[in-house]
Amino acid sequence: MIDQRIEALRAEMRREHLAAYIFTSTDPHNGEYVPDHWKSREWISGFNGSAGTAVVTMTGAALWTDSRYFIAAEEQLQGTEFQLMKLKMPETPTIAQWIGQQVAKGGYDSTEVAINGMTNGCEMVETLIAELRKEGGLTLRTNYDPLPAIWTDRPTIPQNKVELHPLNYTGEDTTSKLKRIRAALREKHADGMLVSALDDIAWTLNLRGTDVHCTPVFVAYLLISSQQVTLFIDSQKLTPDVFHYLQQCGIGIEDYRNIAKALADYPEYNILLDPNETCYTLMNVVRREIVREESPIARMKTVKNATEIEGFRQAMLKDGVAMVKFLCWLKPAVEAGGQTEMSLDRKLTALRAEQKDYRDLSFDTICGYEAHGAIVHYEATPETDIPIAPQGLVLLDSGAQYLDGTTDITRTIALGPLTDEQRWAYTLVLRGHIQLAMCKFPRGASGTQMDVLARQFLWREGLNYLHGTGHGVGQYLSVHEGPHQFRMEWKPAPFVPGMTVTNEPGIYLPGRFGVRIENTMLVTPYMTTEFGEFLQLEPLTLCPIDTTPIMREMMTTEETNWLNAYHENVYKNLAPHLNDEEREWLKQATLPI
């Protein structure tokens, strides 16, 4: 199947005199999670991870992805032409270097590479143009898409209905948000802006949708000027209530396909376009002066107001109840036999679905038993699903979308006897999690400055993990929200009160096991001194952390006290919502150590 798709692509490339074609994971809105219609990289390669780039030349094919997907990609690419390229590994060439090497081997009558400029951000495309130019003068074409000719059963762009997200969940109406956005634009000396990011549009308009798997957004563009606001969307997606709501907000409606023409005819003096958010094609149809700046909406959205924070607390309470019901069920069910990774996933999803205001998962559950836990973003399939035995570790990373908040939690659970290595690794990860959770820091510090707290004990043992330590979380929006995050790489996004962020260090020993422990945290005030305002991290997640694997002699008194206080809070909040059996289980699970 994949080989046939590659050959069909190469036939088109010959007609267009192309040396290579590049498929990324993005869509016209530069989203992390995209509708099936734009999953071109997955279609051409068979690799279904959320991040990766596939490249096909006339004589080779390769796929670049990060450490979360190394093992999964190796398995999914088996039997195809695609060679796995491991990002951030010293031996891995860049995309431009690899294409240059392919062309240098000879047999190519062209040095032109192509990518769809409509589905790739301007910053990324411009960087790629420069890198290709260095590799023997390769050029990049951005106005050609072979998929209409070769993807015969391609899914259509979603037509799902848009929903109102009421003020009792959002805490701020759209008129107020637009006023703040325009004020931010004036500070950047911009008359207006194009909003391409789907979660930014949903947040601004207090609307939600179901066009993207596990993420409550809808396909649209939003054009804001000093005088008017226009939503570019397929009108079939608008219910009478939503249509009336938009009219009341003074927001015009245009067809989704008319966005390029609207940008070409944009009447004001200048327009802000975020080069990391706006696709290359749309950036280049604008005739007015372009203000190349970060969208102000992203940072606004990350700072939750009092209503949103209370919504998060309610969502975490419901999620915690579902998690405790699951954990209470887990070990007896495993000991009785017949459980697999997928059955655990189904059970937890069913328990979450019983909770008030549940809408969906926030991402596909990662349930990795023993060696599968070492695959960072492992998702069990009927082909990989394995039985769960009453021994070893199971890593469970999951979350849900509730109307009042988005959850993301990871627990690594001992199902029976463990090796000393498993207990040692678990304790190292837990200590890093606690050290970051206890961090106090000046307002404006970035996550890069704090990331080492989570990794320090692993680094002392020559261990590391290559994913970030934490990311922002949306309020009934994307489970991944930025720009703030905990990460080794420099990310100069300041932390301020009201931000939500995950704390999720881990360690992965291929072929053996993996450990990750994750809570979602809220940035809150700590104290103000002559040196300024200091902040801290409050755990929002309410769920016991398994204490049975802990090597207690490795823990400091301060770390132990933090864990005991966390568990006391978990019990106090969740116990009133559980039955007698579950409450007793939780009492034992949260006993002080």
Side-chain angles (χ1 to χ4, degrees), residues 32-33 50 68 199 212-217 301 304 312 316 319 352 360-364 366 377 397-401 405-410 470-482 484 500-502 504 518 520:
E32 178 183 9
Y33 301 110
S50 65
R68 295 173 296 170
D199 55 341
V212 176
H213 180 57
C214 293
T215 307
V217 295
K301 183 172 87 265
K304 305 325 190 255
F312 262 104
M316 296 293 173
D319 211 56
R352 280 192 164 113
D360 198 356
L361 298 178
S362 55
F363 55 96
D364 289 320
I366 298 165
H377 270 209
D397 188 349
S398 63
Q401 295 284 6
T406 301
T407 68
D408 186 1
I409 173 177
T410 307
H471 55 81
V473 180
Q475 194 276 331
Y476 186 41
L477 273 173
S478 177
V479 72
H480 291 157
E481 191 173 83
H484 67 293
T500 50
V501 63
T502 63
E504 50 182 308
E518 174 188 18
T520 300

Side-chain angles (χ1 to χ4, degrees), residues 156-163 208-211 218-220 231-243 246 253-257:
T156 59
I157 296 175
Q159 300 292 314
N160 304 323
K161 299 297 184 183
V162 176
E163 303 171 349
R208 298 294 188 268
T210 57
D211 285 354
F218 51 93
V219 175
L231 178 66
F232 291 80
I233 191 171
D234 187 329
S235 60
Q236 295 181 54
K237 300 168 69 65
L238 303 179
T239 64
D241 284 348
V242 171
F243 187 85
L246 291 170
I253 299 167
E254 289 281 350
D255 189 270
Y256 178 75
R257 294 165 294 185

Side-chain angles (χ1 to χ4, degrees), residues 15 36 43 58 68 96 123 127 130 147 167 173 218 220 241 280-281 305 314 319 394 403-404 417 441 473 475 489 518:
R15 276 191 282 272
D36 290 344
W43 181 81
M58 298 308 297
R68 295 173 296 170
E123 186 82 15
T127 299
L147 294 176
L167 191 62
D173 63 33
F218 51 93
D241 284 348
Y280 183 81
T281 296
N305 60 43
Q314 293 303 313
D319 211 56
V394 62
L403 287 175
D404 40 14
F441 52 95
V473 180
Q475 194 276 331
E489 298 82 5
E518 174 188 18

